[in-house]
Amino acid sequence: MIKFKKIIAVFAALTVLVSVTACGNKKKSDDSVSNVESSNIERTFPADEVTEPPTEPISAAADGPRLYIKDTTAKAGEYAEVTFAVENANMNWNMCGIHITYSDALEPMMFEGGDEKDMEYTLGDASKRSNGSITKLWLSGLPDEITEKNMGCFFFTEVFSNNQGLDGDIATFYLKVPEDAESGTVYDIGFYHMDSDLFLNSEEDLSLQMYAFENWKPGTVTVE
């Protein structure tokens, strides 16, 4: 029961993180992953359950979760199905909070009945035991590193009870290709790191999180 309450508290905190980072009120305009601090956990867990900051610098594990965006195709004027996935993490993760970038020529499908930031998405097999998830479009205050590359950004987060996150597709998002897009045009889909981002197991192993952030792979949408 205590564990369940902790997970709910974490998800509530991540919901707050979504409202902050997706709106661009607070941001870290540094996409390096050389200093993923334990303050991630301090801002997420309830005060009485905070893990003490490590006394030694965090180093990436020798192996760990591999996050990636699947390459996909779509016709001009249609929605591309952009899938965020993971491997080498089966039953070894229980929460994530990730920023995903996309060419601003693409138009995200929004959730009808939600607010102006709520994106449409479908959870995949890796998320079938998820306790909850949210996807929010980052509408204003985007870092120069993103806007200078003519990119947009959204934030995806979810939590599980214990390490019930699986390998495979985590979530699929829908981005509309321009009506006048020429066949063969390639649009980049990638990641943007902020110090509030998370990919953790229930043991809060920051070395695995560091590995995930240092080794994630971008994808593409190619017009048919």
Side-chain angles (χ1 to χ4, degrees), residues 22 32 44 54 78 92-93 99 115 126 139 142 164 171 192 216 222:
S32 73
T44 305
E78 294 185 350
N92 195 30
W93 64 285
H99 288 82
D115 65 29
L139 288 178
L142 286 165
Q164 295 186 357
Y192 181 76
W216 52 24
T222 301

Side-chain angles (χ1 to χ4, degrees), residues 71-149:
D71 293 336
T72 190
T73 63
K75 295 178 180 179
E78 294 185 350
Y79 281 96
E81 297 186 356
V82 174
T83 298
F84 169 43
V86 63
E87 61 184 11
N88 204 38
N90 198 54
M91 297 293 288
N92 195 30
W93 64 285
N94 83 323
M95 68 178 70
C96 73
I98 303 292
H99 288 82
I100 296 175
T101 60
Y102 62 94
S103 168
D104 62 10
L106 304 174
E107 179 184 349
M109 180 184 292
M110 307 307 293
F111 174 66
E112 293 185 10
D115 65 29
E116 61 179 352
K117 298 184 294 293
D118 286 332
M119 284 179 56
E120 187 65 73
Y121 65 101
T122 302
L123 294 180
D125 288 344
S127 300
K128 65 183 180 180
R129 298 190 66 85
S130 172
N131 285 341
S133 60
I134 298 172
T135 303
K136 293 281 188 178
L137 189 62
W138 192 348
L139 288 178
S140 63
L142 286 165
D144 291 342
E145 293 94 327
I146 294 177
T147 58
E148 289 173 356
K149 297 177 182 178

Side-chain angles (χ1 to χ4, degrees), residues 30-95:
D30 178 6
D31 59 358
S32 73
V33 291
S34 60
N35 189 26
V36 181
E37 300 176 353
S38 62
S39 58
N40 295 344
I41 295 177
E42 292 178 0
R43 285 194 297 274
T44 305
F45 285 0
D48 61 347
E49 296 180 354
V50 170
T51 299
E52 289 297 320
T55 56
E56 299 295 330
I58 300 165
S59 298
D63 196 13
R66 292 187 284 272
L67 304 174
Y68 61 101
I69 304 293
K70 290 185 174 181
D71 293 336
T72 190
T73 63
K75 295 178 180 179
E78 294 185 350
Y79 281 96
E81 297 186 356
V82 174
T83 298
F84 169 43
V86 63
E87 61 184 11
N88 204 38
N90 198 54
M91 297 293 288
N92 195 30
W93 64 285
N94 83 323
M95 68 178 70

Side-chain angles (χ1 to χ4, degrees), residues 154-193:
F154 60 89
F155 184 72
F156 172 79
T157 183
E158 71 175 335
V159 294
F160 301 80
S161 297
N162 301 314
N163 290 325
Q164 295 186 357
L166 305 176
D167 280 348
D169 294 352
I170 295 175
T172 296
F173 314 96
Y174 306 95
L175 302 175
K176 188 176 181 180
V177 176
E179 298 282 352
D180 58 355
E182 296 184 0
S183 178
T185 301
V186 177
Y187 301 104
D188 293 329
I189 311 293
F191 298 96
Y192 181 76
H193 178 258

